[in-house]
Each structure stands twice: as C-alpha cells, then as structure tokens.
C-alpha cells in the first residue's frame, strides 16, 4: 500500500539527526505549518533551489548523493551570505515511493543537515518526475550579511578550494571513472563553506558561491557592485587537481566549470592576513586570484574559452 505523504515524511525525515536542540523551532513537522521564532534582533535570510533530475544532476546519481546535493547547494547560498543555518523545508517529487530510495536519500540529506546544524521543519511530497526543492533559512546580525554589491576598486578577488575540480569529476564520472577519485568526489559531495562564510563577516566586501563557474559568478559580483574585475590566470589554483590536464583545458575547467560550491569574494588588501589566517584555521585552501577596478565587466587576460558554455549540472539561473 502506498505511503501517505504524512507517513513518508514521518518515516524518513521525521527522525533526521539533529546536531543539538533546534534553535527557534516552536513547532516542527506534523502540523499544517511550522512555527519558527526568528532569533531576536537578527536578519532572516531565505533561499530556495530546485534540482531536477537530468537538468541539475545526472539521473544516474545515487539517492544518497542527491540528498546531500539538494541541501548542499542551498547551504552554499547561506554560506555565501555569511549566514548561520537555522531551518529548511523540503518538497520532493518522486516517480514512485521506493522505501530504499527514500532511506538512502534521507541518509545523505540527514548527514549534512546534522553537520550543518540545520533542522528540517516541514515537507511535501508529490508524484511525478524526480525533483527536489529545498528552502533554507539562516540568520545574520543586522546588516552584516555578505552581499554581491559591496566590491570596491582596489579590493582583491579571492576563491576557496579547487574550482574546476567538480567539472572534471563530472566528466570523469560520465566516462565511467570510480566515484572515489578526488575529482569525482568534488562533484558528488560538494561541501558548503559555512564556517568560512561566517569567518568572512567583517572581512569580505562582497561574496558569491561558485555554482555556474568562476568567471560567470565573479562577473555577478562585478555587475552588482558596479565595478570591473580582472582575474590573473597565473594565480589560479591549477596546480592541484587539474595539473594533469593541458593548461588551456585546466583553465577552461577552472574558469568555466560549475558545481564547485566554493566561495568567491572580494576584500580590501588590509584584510588579507586575517582571511588567510581564517582559511588556515579551517584547513581550507584559499587564494587571491585577481583585483577589482573602476570600470565594468569580468576579464581574464590570455583566456578565451574554446567551447561556448561548459556542460555542467549546477546551473540555476538565480543564485
Ligand atoms: Mg548562489
């Protein structure tokens, strides 16, 4: 007998592990609506992302990886704003209520939710082609959240991690590589940079997470800030992960590949030492790759994409 919506949510998502008592949850799953108390005096940040099978991830992806990914891409948006994760809601459309699929999906989702300290407070299930929508809520001190529009001429451009590695991983997976390969793992298990986003509060002038590709996403900062940004190709982290590729190909993956969910941000040169120290404490690679200037647009001299538009699965057109 098919499970009802309530049974589905209760069975697979009602017992998601919590890292501690959920902050501000007056009433969670089980009623017509959740009752949530926004932390006193703080700003509430809200973001939503839908992942559709075959559009935002390969249909062959494991349910555990889909569960992780659906939450990770949303947490990455909170990380880019320097927000503290609080709550999320989940709407899932499934071709069939397969208990094993749901258990694996809930495991991938729950493991990350627990680590991030974010509580599931409501859900909805419907029948149809596989798609997962998550809405996240986070908090930040009033006016403190990182935005895209704060970059100023003279600021430096930074990026965390190894942008391009996830795009390489997707390519390898599609040619039958093992999921244990570090590049494949970068695609399968993106890690939202929550702690580092919080550490950037008061240091970064603007920030974005890299979902569509470094060049495109840094371009969003330039556009929203009314400045120009120039990336120095010689400073990009090509030596780790992408080192085995010809330089042009590595550059193209690094600048054009999506799905990395690293943070790209700007900061005044005076913040550089504190930024490096914060990244060091978290064991997160982070480096300066360019500069903000008066003017407009995003440039990386010496780089001209060989292919128009890289194939990737992260591209949500919003955030
Ligand atoms: Mg984003």
């Amino acid at each position: 007998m098919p499970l009802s919506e309530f049974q589905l949510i209760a069975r697979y998502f009602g017992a998601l592990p919590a890292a501690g008592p959920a902050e501000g949850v007056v009433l969670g799953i089980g009623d017509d609506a959740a009752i949530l108390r926004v932390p006193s005096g703080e700003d509430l940040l809200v973001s939503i992302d839908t992942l559709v099978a075959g559009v935002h991830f390969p249909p062959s992806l494991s349910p555990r990886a889909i569960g992780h990914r659906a939450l990770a891409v949303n947490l990455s948006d909170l990380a880019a704003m320097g927000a503290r994760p609080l709550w999320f809601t989940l709407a899932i459309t499934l071709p069939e209520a397969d208990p094993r699929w749901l258990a694996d999906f809930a495991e991938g989702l729950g493991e990350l939710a627990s680590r991030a300290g974010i509580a599931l407070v409501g859900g909805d299930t419907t029948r149809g082609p596989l798609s997962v929508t998550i809405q996240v809520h986070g908090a930040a001190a009033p006016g403190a959240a990182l935005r895209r529009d704060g970059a100023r001429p003279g600021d430096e451009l930074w990026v965390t991690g190894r942008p391009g590695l996830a795009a390489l991983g997707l390519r390898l997976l599609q040619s039958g590589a093992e999921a244990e390969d570090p590049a494949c793992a970068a695609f399968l298990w993106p890690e939202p940079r929550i702690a580092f986003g919080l550490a950037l509060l008061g240091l970064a002038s603007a920030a974005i997470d890299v979902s569509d590709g470094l060049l495109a996403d840094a371009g969003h900062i330039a556009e929203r800030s009314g400045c120009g940004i120039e990336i120095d190709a010689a400073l990009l982290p090509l030596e780790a992960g992408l080192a085995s590729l010809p330089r042009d190909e590595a550059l193209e993956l690094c600048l054009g590949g999506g799905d990395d969910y690293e943070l790209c941000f700007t900061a005044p040169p005076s913040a550089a030492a504190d930024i490096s120290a914060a990244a060091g404490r978290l064991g997160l690679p982070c480096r300066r790759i360019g500069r903000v200037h008066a003017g407009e647009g995003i440039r990386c001299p010496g780089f001209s994409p060989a292919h128009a538009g890289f194939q990737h699965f992260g591209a949500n057109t919003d955030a």
Side-chain angles (χ1 to χ4, degrees):
M1 194 174 77
L3 294 169
S4 70
E5 174 189 313
F6 178 77
Q7 285 172 316
L8 275 177
I9 292 173
R11 178 175 300 183
Y12 295 104
F13 304 112
L16 280 184
E23 182 182 351
V25 181
V26 180
L27 186 63
I29 295 172
D31 211 309
D32 289 307
I35 305 177
L36 306 169
R37 194 153 295 157
V38 179
S40 181
E42 291 198 273
D43 287 345
L44 181 68
L45 290 91
V46 181
S47 181
I48 188 167
D49 261 312
T50 294
L51 302 187
V52 177
V55 178
H56 302 107
F57 60 86
S60 60
L61 206 59
S62 76
R64 191 161 162 264
I66 295 170
H68 174 95
R69 182 175 212 80
L71 184 56
V73 303
N74 278 283
L75 286 171
S76 181
D77 283 327
L78 288 183
M81 307 286 294
R84 186 173 92 255
L86 291 174
W87 317 301
F88 72 105
T89 53
L90 164 72
I92 180 164
T93 303
L94 289 166
E96 56 180 343
D98 174 352
R100 183 156 177 187
W101 193 99
L102 278 163
D104 288 351
F105 174 87
E107 187 182 309
L109 185 78
E111 190 275 329
L112 180 58
S114 174
R115 270 195 296 124
I118 191 167
L120 179 67
V121 295
D124 183 37
T125 57
T126 50
R127 186 163 293 213
L130 176 61
S131 103
V132 183
T133 297
I134 285 181
Q135 183 172 48
V136 286
H137 304 76
L146 304 171
R147 302 159 44 141
R148 298 177 181 182
D149 59 5
R152 295 294 173 261
D155 284 355
E156 294 168 312
L157 182 74
W158 297 69
V159 74
T160 63
R162 307 288 179 225
L165 201 57
L168 175 63
L170 173 60
R171 183 195 285 178
L172 293 174
L173 282 169
Q174 288 177 328
S175 60
E178 292 302 317
E180 287 73 27
D181 180 279
C184 296
F187 176 79
L188 289 171
W189 310 107
E191 185 62 33
R193 304 302 186 190
I194 298 164
F196 192 60
L198 290 166
L200 287 177
L201 290 169
L203 296 175
S205 53
I208 192 169
D209 65 319
V210 182
S211 55
D212 295 344
L214 187 52
L215 204 61
D217 288 319
H220 293 317
I221 291 181
E223 188 184 345
R224 293 295 298 269
S225 296
C227 299
I229 293 180
E230 185 165 308
I231 293 177
D232 183 344
L235 299 179
L236 291 169
L238 304 181
E239 75 286 355
L242 301 178
S244 61
L245 301 173
R247 188 167 183 280
D248 280 357
E249 209 176 323
L251 257 186
E252 185 157 333
L253 282 168
C254 183
L255 289 167
D259 299 314
D260 294 297
Y261 301 101
E262 296 294 348
L263 296 185
C264 174
F265 58 96
T266 59
S270 59
D274 287 341
I275 290 168
S276 294
R281 279 194 298 277
L282 294 167
L284 180 64
C286 183
R287 66 168 66 177
R288 279 173 278 194
I289 58 166
R291 194 167 279 278
V292 182
H293 58 84
E296 60 180 29
I298 177 87
R299 299 195 320 132
C300 181
F303 170 72
S304 50
H307 311 98
F310 220 89
Q311 185 196 4
H312 63 87
F313 281 98
N316 276 320
T317 49
D318 58 347

